[in-house]
Amino acid sequence: MNENSAALPAALSAPAAPWWRSAVFYQVYPRSFADSNGDGVGDLGGLREKLGYLELLGVDALWICPVMLSPMADGGYDVADPRDIDPLFGGLAAMDAVLAEAHDRGLRVTMDLVPNHTSDQHLWFQQALHAPPGSPERARYIFRDGRGPKGAEPPNNWPSIFGGPAWTRVIESDGLPGQWYLHIFAPEQPDLNWENPEVAADFEDTIRFWLARGVDGFRIDVAHGMAKPAGLPDMAHPEGQFDGDTLVVHDDGDPRFNDPGVHAIHRRLRTIMDQYPDTVAIGEVWVDDNVRFGEYVRPDELHLAFNFRLAETPFHPDRIRAAIDNSLRAVEAVGASPTWTLSNHDIEREVTRYGGGAAGQARARAMILLELALPGAVFVYNGAELGLPNVDDLPESALQDPTWERSGHTLRGRDGCRVPLPWEGQRPPFGFSTADPWLPMPGQWSALTVEKQLERLDSMLSLYRMAIELRGARPEFGGSGLEWYASPPGCLAFRRDGGLLCVLNATESPILLPAGEVLLTSAPIRSRKLPANSTAWLV
């Protein structure tokens, strides 16, 4: 190195890190975000009208849950045409308008893609139903002959994630029961056969279609599920997928997921993403083993992968620290960035998970400060910034999650975390729509509207705004590592490479803060004492 290059400032001598490594993503569940046409269902027009709010919130990028053409058997995750937008959400022109305005406001846009399965209304599957066994049309999916006399039993013992068997038998052209098709999720979501080159080629066309329209990347649904093991062997304990209260959706011994063949698929998709600079592929990856998790974010596969450990962790300092350490280790060996989230459209909202009421609110405030203090990318589920709780008392007649029907009305499903957002006013639907919303909204949410919270500096929304702004502006949030500090029992503290000190008090009593300038706290402090169930940032 010559003396001139040695004198270059670091900002000039080192390339800037990709934007997505430390971005704050905002997850939009479109049905529940904002309704622009008065049909009670959120849409892309409503999202466009609220982009100013998201700009004010300070997030870097959006993740839009599925809006492609769909019969909506599973909230849009049953896709009939992956290269079109459903009229329910406003059609393709509405998506183009969101992309244009979001980019004008400095917001990047990622969208959901669903490669594991299609809708049963997809042209391919309709062709498969009318084609004979062994045909090219059926080879796009996973059709098999049944077991037992006359093939009357499913080809293996796999259960569906939504309850019941993962196989449905079709009626052949002669009017008799025939082959079975695989659907890891609902019967309306037949699994694709990714060993078929036609499937991979079509998905590549879908990726190019959206990237050419200006989409900045994708969240890839069930990114650990596209490849299936040879011979489709039986599960050792299929009954263990259900505990009578909730769905168990990940197990490293589950043959339905995490087959090694999935990595060749991701490497192939990455070659396309690399042709579009600054785009990102984010995988939904339910894998516990850190080595196997890290394989998904090797330099030639996904850019990011969801790690759900923090979202599955109770409000306990030892468990929180273990989840953070585990998440950092999972990506460290391959040089990838960690991801953090406290909730999403499939997980109980954090306010409820942390105990509900005032305690749940305080702990949720504490945890968002802790999460935003961590290195890596952060995902905020719409409504978390308002402190919305789960709505667990929805009437049975309102439930729409397929889990409710598939489980024989034993599992209520995920509707409780999908209730529409309250924007303004004193009564439902709180400005979400001019019609009755697709899921009923609690009347007590009048205190949680965006309108009310923007008026108060002590609101959850104001806390999010201040925290996101500081995270993006202060150099103390720099660097990819952190160091744990000694802390009193029931507390934890870590320092970022850039100098930020984050202190969590998970006890029931105040603690004295260490020396340093206080940047932000999740609860008011007096005499440098951090209250119970709260977090502080210091420099």
Side-chain angles (χ1 to χ4, degrees):
M1 179 181 292
N2 62 46
E3 61 181 18
N4 291 331
S5 62
L8 284 173
L12 298 179
S13 61
W19 65 270
W20 40 264
R21 279 191 173 269
S22 59
V24 177
F25 290 82
Y26 185 92
Q27 180 191 355
V28 176
Y29 193 72
R31 296 172 67 91
S32 298
F33 191 66
D35 172 25
S36 66
N37 64 0
D39 64 357
V41 179
D43 49 42
L44 290 171
L47 170 57
R48 184 184 178 192
E49 292 173 357
K50 302 298 186 183
L51 287 175
Y53 164 75
L54 297 177
E55 183 181 13
L56 184 71
L57 184 59
V59 298
D60 302 298
L62 313 183
W63 154 30
I64 303 175
C65 286
V67 288
M68 288 79 75
L69 193 67
S70 169
M72 303 294 162
D74 182 26
Y77 282 94
D78 50 315
V79 178
D81 186 344
R83 297 190 284 275
D84 197 5
I85 299 295
D86 198 282
L88 180 71
F89 299 117
L92 199 55
M95 185 67 183
D96 289 339
V98 167
L99 287 169
E101 182 159 341
H103 290 159
D104 285 345
R105 292 179 178 274
L107 296 167
R108 300 179 189 264
V109 179
T110 66
M111 63 186 299
D112 246 309
L113 288 185
V114 187
N116 181 72
H117 47 264
T118 70
S119 165
D120 62 351
Q121 300 304 306
H122 191 288
L123 175 62
W124 276 6
F125 193 72
Q126 290 299 305
Q127 291 173 339
L129 290 178
H130 293 91
S135 63
E137 289 83 2
R138 289 202 174 178
R140 296 165 176 156
Y141 295 89
I142 301 176
F143 279 84
R144 294 290 187 273
D145 294 331
R147 298 193 290 195
K150 298 183 180 181
E153 298 296 323
N156 68 21
N157 68 350
W158 291 3
S160 162
I161 291 296
F162 292 147
W167 296 90
T168 292
R169 199 174 191 187
V170 302
I171 302 299
E172 304 291 1
S173 59
D174 59 6
L176 297 176
Q179 287 191 309
W180 300 72
Y181 69 88
L182 178 69
H183 51 86
I184 298 299
F185 295 88
E188 296 88 352
Q189 296 168 289
D191 279 43
L192 287 161
N193 173 20
W194 270 85
E195 294 183 1
N196 186 330
E198 193 175 358
V199 170
D202 186 74
F203 194 68
E204 290 175 4
D205 288 344
T206 295
I207 288 177
R208 293 183 187 278
F209 176 86
W210 291 114
L211 292 175
R213 296 190 90 89
V215 169
D216 299 292
F218 308 102
R219 180 267 192 183
I220 299 178
D221 185 60
V222 196
H224 61 318
M226 292 103 83
K228 305 299 190 291
L232 305 179
D234 279 346
M235 294 178 65
H237 302 288
E239 69 282 354
Q241 293 302 301
F242 305 94
D243 64 11
D245 184 45
T246 187
L247 296 174
V248 180
V249 296
H250 64 109
D251 174 355
D252 285 356
D254 187 339
R256 299 173 300 176
F257 301 107
N258 200 35
D259 185 81
V262 77
H263 297 289
I265 297 172
H266 287 304
R267 284 192 292 272
R268 181 170 175 174
L269 300 179
R270 179 63 180 266
T271 61
I272 298 174
M273 299 294 297
D274 286 345
Q275 297 169 25
Y276 295 80
D278 291 332
T279 60
V280 62
I282 310 157
E284 180 195 24
V285 177
W286 292 90
V287 176
D288 282 337
D289 181 79
N290 282 341
V291 173
R292 298 174 76 183
F293 181 91
E295 291 173 349
Y296 285 88
V297 284
R298 289 176 288 198
D300 61 346
E301 295 195 35
L302 295 164
H303 299 88
L304 298 171
F306 281 104
N307 188 315
F308 299 100
R309 289 188 183 274
L310 207 55
E312 297 177 311
T313 299
F315 190 76
H316 186 282
D318 295 340
R319 299 281 296 277
I320 293 167
R321 176 170 175 168
I324 293 170
D325 280 339
N326 191 288
S327 301
L328 292 173
R329 285 196 304 269
V331 297
E332 184 178 22
V334 293
S337 289
T339 63
W340 314 98
T341 189
L342 298 176
S343 56
N344 64 30
H345 63 295
D346 291 330
I347 299 173
E348 187 177 48
R349 286 191 176 276
E350 53 264 51
V351 167
T352 299
R353 244 185 16 255
Y354 297 145
Q361 290 283 341
R363 291 167 180 170
R365 292 172 66 94
M367 287 300 294
I368 189 56
L369 282 203
L370 179 136
E371 184 180 57
L372 288 171
L374 294 167
V378 172
F379 291 80
V380 174
Y381 178 45
N382 60 201
E385 79 279 12
L386 302 178
L388 299 184
N390 247 49
V391 183
D392 294 327
D393 58 352
L394 290 169
E396 292 183 357
S397 60
L399 297 179
Q400 301 193 32
D401 191 323
T403 301
W404 173 242
E405 294 295 335
R406 292 282 292 171
S407 67
H409 295 181
T410 60
L411 302 176
R412 292 177 64 87
R414 301 158 292 178
D415 290 323
C417 66
R418 299 177 174 183
V419 173
L421 270 60
W423 291 95
E424 60 188 18
Q426 298 298 316
R427 293 181 299 277
F430 298 116
F432 165 75
S433 175
T434 57
D436 290 337
W438 71 283
L439 286 174
M441 304 170 69
Q444 59 267 36
W445 279 11
S446 60
L448 300 177
T449 65
V450 171
E451 179 184 51
K452 280 284 182 65
Q453 296 204 40
L454 285 175
E455 297 172 351
R456 297 189 356 249
L457 286 177
D458 63 345
S459 69
M460 183 80 81
L461 178 55
S462 292
L463 179 69
Y464 268 76
R465 289 181 60 197
M466 290 185 287
I468 292 172
E469 181 180 9
L470 286 170
R471 186 180 191 269
R474 298 286 302 216
E476 291 88 352
F477 289 84
S480 60
L482 60 82
E483 178 184 2
W484 293 104
Y485 271 51
S487 56
C491 303
L492 60 79
F494 62 83
R495 188 178 294 278
R496 287 284 301 277
D497 291 346
L500 176 79
L501 179 62
C502 179
V503 179
L504 169 69
N505 177 11
T507 73
E508 295 302 318
S509 302
I511 63 167
L512 185 64
L513 285 171
E517 175 193 351
V518 177
L519 276 186
L520 186 63
T521 60
S522 64
I525 62 172
R526 294 180 180 177
S527 304
R528 295 192 65 85
K529 288 187 176 180
L530 183 65
N533 297 324
S534 59
T535 295
W537 288 350
L538 302 97
V539 294

